[in-house]
């Protein structure tokens, strides 16, 4: 049955079963994150520090190069970012001091890398042991590089192009360059790959968005105010032409400024191993999979998972896949290509039910099933009569449930169509989530920023920005254009389409899928029980009424895999 979700009621997310236990388990990681650092074996490698690279406009960028011991020519793995190539683990007594983000953001399992490893960068000690040269670059305006940074811009793509061609021409290089890294070190790969530098032979963007407006800064048109602020504070030492937080406020619509930051994905033709995580819906999940779908590369591979970001990147299985990929495309070794799609399916945060190879995303055998909103919950047939439920935008919400009669795998994106009416405001900020419940207990999943109590998937939308991009939209993936504001008039009931991010979840017979809808972000901000640092601008006050019925077929579209 559709029910009100009162802030003092049983649906208060930080009061759910297991939330307090989860909070207490967070405390040790805040004090001592499970990150270990090792020193490379003496004589196993050599380091060239702060080498100058002249780029096309005369600006000097600086790089560090780590080479296998003994000399020779090697394929090159490069990463480029604004975080400082010299920002490495540092000795502190008998231990090591690592980035504070490993402490603030929960780690799912132990992470281990060498003392030469930069933030979200490949471990040079491990890769040189495999016979690769590793180049870590300070982007323009960052670290010891000259110039003024233009984050996420075409300028960065041109700079990385010149860095690649420099590395390809060095006496220690075979001329074959690959790109590898997480987050910004992945984002910086898309634009340069579209420029097609001759020395670039393969890319491995490991969780990196492709549309700054849609994927992070204004998802659904709603301004992100948590992670973006923390990220911007970490970039205070970077000499910037513009501040992303200022642009975020000055450009509420997806105008020419934002569109100029979107890489030409269709021009990316080099082999690509792309990590699309199901546990990073607030940041990289959608953009990573969008990249896999839209690039023109004949050799493109998608690696999915729902584990921790860094624990997965540095884990043996993922590194073995990365090595296999680069050995094939940088060295020309006769090794099998990675799976077209490596699909990981879970039934809870810690229970992986299958890891298998697929050939498409979404899966070609998907049955797109509509679950209709009714007064009795979610139903597989449209309701015979009209109904509605209202809630306060600041303090309440609503929920609908569907109990599964048999086991079912839901793998792919989801899409929600609602019919809404606003009272006391001309806009509604809508936040939607899909949850799993088992015997009256909430089933948690791994989420963005190390949050271990996440829902299966989430979506956002400003109702006044509901107009769709008819060319880019698909039934299972509505894409708002965000080009103009269309306020809601009093008494007006309008359809809104909300895209919910990709996931892969097994439901057992008797378990329940729950849809929640509210006018506020669905988690608290604190780092113990909330999805810290995720936060979104405070929406308008007022009320929202959700309508359904024969003339207003509100529904959740879910991907049932046969």
């Amino acid at each position: 049955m559709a029910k009100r979700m009162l802030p003092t009621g049983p649906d208060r997310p930080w009061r759910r079963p297991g939330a307090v236990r989860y909070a207490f388990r967070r405390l040790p990681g805040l004090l001592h994150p499970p990150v270990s650092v090792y020193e490379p074996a003496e004589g196993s490698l050599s380091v060239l520090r702060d080498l100058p690279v002249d780029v096309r406009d005369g600006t000097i960028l600086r790089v560090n190069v780590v080479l296998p011991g003994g000399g020779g020519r090697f394929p090159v793995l490069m990463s480029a970012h604004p975080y400082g190539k010299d920002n490495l683990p540092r000795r502190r007594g008998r231990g090591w001091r690592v980035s504070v983000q490993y402490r603030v953001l929960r780690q799912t399992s132990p992470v281990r890398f060498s003392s030469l490893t930069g933030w979200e960068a490949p471990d040079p000690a491990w890769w040189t042991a495999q016979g690769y040269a590793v180049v870590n670059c300070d982007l323009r305006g960052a670290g010891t590089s000259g110039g003024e940074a233009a984050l996420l811009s075409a300028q960065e793509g041109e700079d990385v192009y010149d860095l690649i061609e420099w590395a390809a021409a060095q006496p220690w290089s075979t001329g074959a360059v690959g790109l590898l890294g997480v987050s910004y070190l992945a984002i910086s790969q898309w634009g340069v790959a579209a420029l097609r530098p001759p020395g670039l032979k393969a890319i491995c963007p490991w969780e990196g968005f492709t549309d700054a407006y849609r994927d992070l800064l204004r998802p659904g048109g709603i301004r992100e105010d948590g992670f973006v602020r923390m990220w911007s504070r970490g970039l205070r030492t970077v000499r910037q032409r513009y501040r992303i937080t200022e642009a975020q406020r000055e450009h509420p619509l997806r105008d020419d400024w934002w569109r100029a930051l979107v890489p030409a994905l269709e021009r990316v033709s080099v082999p690509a191993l792309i990590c699309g995580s199901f546990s990073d819906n607030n940041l990289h999940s959608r953009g990573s999979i969008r990249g896999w779908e839209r690039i023109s590369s004949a050799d493109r591979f998608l690696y999915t998972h729902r584990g921790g970001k860094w624990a997965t990147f540095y884990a043996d299985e993922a590194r073995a896949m990365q090595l296999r990929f680069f050995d094939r495309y940088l060295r020309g070794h006769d090794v099998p290509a990675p799976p077209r799609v490596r699909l990981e399916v879970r039934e809870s945060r810690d229970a992986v039910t299958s890891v298998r190879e697929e050939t498409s995303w979404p899966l070609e055998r998907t049955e797109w099933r509509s679950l209709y909103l009714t007064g009795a919950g979610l139903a597989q047939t449209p309701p015979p009569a009209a109904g509605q439920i209202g809630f306060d935008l600041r303090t309440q919400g609503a929920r609908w449930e569907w109990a599964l009669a048999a086991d079912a795998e839901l793998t792919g994106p989801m899409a929600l169509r609602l019919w809404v009416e606003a009272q006391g405001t001309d806009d509604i900020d809508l936040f939607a989530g899909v949850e799993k419940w088992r015997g009256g207990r909430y089933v948690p999943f791994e989420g963005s920023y190390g949050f271990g109590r996440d829902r299966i998937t989430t979506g956002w939308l400003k109702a006044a920005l509901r107009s769709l991009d008819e060319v880019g939209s698909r039934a299972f993936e509505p894409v708002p254009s965000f080009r103009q504001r269309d306020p809601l008039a009093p008494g007006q009931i309008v359809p809104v389409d909300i895209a919910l991010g990709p996931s892969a979840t097994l439901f057992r017979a008797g378990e329940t899928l729950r849809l929640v809808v509210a006018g506020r972000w669905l988690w608290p901000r604190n780092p113990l029980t909330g999805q810290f640092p995720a936060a979104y601008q405070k929406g308008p006050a007022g009320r929202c009424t959700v309508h359904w019925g024969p003339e207003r077929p509100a529904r959740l579209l879910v991907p049932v895999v046969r």
Side-chain angles (χ1 to χ4, degrees):
M1 177 178 293
K3 301 176 182 178
R4 293 188 177 185
M5 189 174 63
L6 302 175
T8 56
D11 277 323
R12 194 172 185 179
W14 49 100
R15 294 276 180 86
R16 287 181 176 167
V20 174
R21 183 169 63 251
Y22 171 80
F24 277 106
R25 287 178 177 174
R26 285 283 291 117
L27 293 174
L30 291 171
L31 299 173
H32 303 287
V35 178
S36 60
V37 179
Y38 69 93
E39 288 275 22
E42 187 174 349
S44 63
L45 50 79
S46 61
V47 182
L48 309 176
R49 300 186 185 278
D50 238 21
L51 300 183
V53 180
D54 290 309
V55 296
R56 64 192 66 183
D57 68 351
T59 301
I60 297 178
L61 307 185
R62 300 275 177 174
V63 306
N64 290 343
V65 179
V66 184
L67 302 173
R73 292 163 61 88
F74 311 99
V76 179
L77 294 182
M78 176 181 288
S79 56
H81 56 90
Y83 300 134
K85 68 183 187 316
D86 301 311
N87 182 17
L88 305 175
R90 300 185 185 280
R91 277 283 187 189
R92 186 176 64 180
R94 295 183 179 180
W96 293 87
R97 181 178 180 181
V98 296
S99 171
V100 69
Q101 294 191 68
Y102 287 115
R103 185 189 308 274
V104 175
L105 308 181
R106 167 181 157 274
Q107 304 306 307
T108 59
S109 57
V111 178
R112 186 173 186 267
F113 45 67
S114 78
S115 59
L116 297 174
T117 306
W119 173 244
E120 298 190 314
D123 180 352
W126 191 88
W127 282 101
T128 53
Q130 316 309 315
Y132 286 83
V134 179
V135 179
N136 195 359
C137 311
D138 279 336
L139 283 172
R140 180 183 296 252
T144 57
S145 287
E148 191 177 38
L151 297 177
L152 307 172
S153 70
Q155 173 71 69
E156 286 190 345
E158 294 177 357
D159 287 346
V160 180
Y161 183 115
D162 294 345
L163 288 165
I164 288 169
E165 293 309 293
W166 172 86
Q170 297 308 298
W172 37 261
S173 169
T174 62
V177 180
L179 299 177
L180 174 62
V182 180
S183 192
Y184 205 104
L185 289 71
I187 296 166
S188 62
Q189 298 180 39
W190 301 111
V192 66
L195 299 177
R196 300 178 176 175
L200 182 62
K201 305 303 181 184
I203 62 172
C204 184
W206 201 267
E207 300 189 39
F209 64 66
T210 50
D211 189 317
Y213 184 102
R214 297 185 189 280
D215 298 341
L216 169 62
L217 295 162
R218 284 186 171 270
I222 300 172
R223 191 180 72 235
E224 207 285 340
D225 275 343
F227 173 81
V228 172
R229 287 186 182 181
M230 186 182 79
W231 179 53
S232 297
R233 284 195 293 269
L235 294 172
R236 285 177 178 171
T237 60
V238 178
R239 302 174 298 282
Q240 299 180 52
R241 191 181 308 167
Y242 50 77
R243 298 279 175 178
I244 288 293
T245 49
E246 294 173 3
Q248 188 188 29
R249 293 174 180 273
E250 293 169 0
H251 299 269
L253 301 179
R254 191 173 177 273
D255 55 17
D256 289 343
W257 194 89
W258 290 110
R259 289 194 289 273
L261 301 185
V262 178
L265 294 172
E266 67 281 356
R267 286 190 47 80
V268 177
S269 57
V270 294
L273 173 59
I274 299 166
C275 178
S277 162
F278 300 138
S279 49
D280 207 13
N281 195 41
N282 293 66
L283 184 54
H284 294 313
S285 297
R286 301 170 192 237
S288 297
I289 291 179
R290 183 189 303 116
W292 182 84
E293 288 188 299
R294 294 190 181 180
I295 62 175
S296 60
S297 308
D299 298 319
R300 56 190 173 102
F301 313 100
L302 180 63
Y303 186 105
T304 72
H305 72 90
R306 190 144 197 178
K309 185 187 300 291
W310 305 297
T312 299
F313 178 67
Y314 293 110
D316 291 343
E317 181 188 354
R319 285 204 293 203
M321 187 73 74
Q322 297 160 18
L323 178 62
R324 173 173 154 188
F325 172 74
F326 285 121
D327 277 353
R328 181 181 176 90
Y329 294 105
L330 264 60
R331 282 180 160 147
H333 286 182
D334 185 17
V335 296
R340 181 75 163 177
V341 176
R342 183 260 193 197
L343 180 65
E344 178 187 284
V345 182
R346 298 199 180 209
E347 59 178 306
S348 67
R349 181 186 61 211
D350 302 318
V352 177
T353 57
S354 67
V355 176
R356 63 178 189 264
E357 296 186 13
E358 295 285 352
T359 59
S360 63
W361 180 272
L363 307 189
E364 292 179 356
R365 62 185 184 279
T366 301
E367 174 192 330
W368 297 100
R369 187 177 301 178
S370 291
L371 302 178
Y372 295 94
L373 276 63
T374 76
L378 295 171
Q380 297 187 63
T381 56
Q388 64 184 55
I389 185 172
F391 54 85
D392 184 273
L393 290 173
R394 293 278 180 84
T395 62
Q396 297 176 314
R399 72 174 188 254
W400 295 263
E401 296 180 347
W402 177 46
L404 282 79
D407 290 1
E409 180 186 316
L410 304 187
T411 291
M414 301 185 192
L416 176 63
R417 165 159 283 199
L418 299 176
W419 296 78
V420 299
E421 177 186 2
Q423 295 93 30
T425 177
D426 66 357
D427 199 0
I428 303 170
D429 284 4
L430 291 165
F431 296 86
V434 170
E435 305 173 346
K436 181 178 181 181
W437 287 74
R438 177 188 297 150
R441 296 184 66 86
Y442 175 72
V443 178
F445 289 84
E446 193 64 30
S448 297
Y449 319 125
F451 180 48
R453 297 276 300 166
D454 204 11
R455 295 173 171 83
I456 291 172
T457 184
T458 304
W460 314 252
L461 184 68
K462 269 190 172 296
L465 297 178
R466 62 191 177 276
S467 296
L468 295 179
D469 177 344
E470 298 296 342
V471 175
S473 293
R474 298 176 285 186
F476 56 80
E477 186 185 29
V479 180
S481 64
F482 301 123
R483 293 191 177 187
Q484 65 181 28
R485 190 170 183 272
D486 187 11
L488 282 70
Q492 183 183 18
I493 301 172
V494 300
V496 295
D497 292 279
I498 304 174
L500 290 92
S503 57
T505 309
L506 178 66
F507 280 78
R508 300 290 185 182
E511 294 180 334
T512 298
L513 179 151
R514 177 181 290 185
L515 168 67
V516 294
V517 177
R520 70 196 190 283
W521 180 230
L522 300 169
W523 291 109
R525 296 185 66 164
N526 73 77
L528 289 180
T529 61
Q531 197 173 31
F532 178 83
Y536 297 85
Q537 70 181 108
K538 196 172 187 178
R543 289 184 64 80
C544 170
T545 299
V546 177
H547 296 262
W548 60 81
E551 296 182 358
R552 298 187 177 101
R555 58 98 179 106
L556 174 67
L557 189 68
V558 297
V560 180
V561 176
R562 295 184 173 184

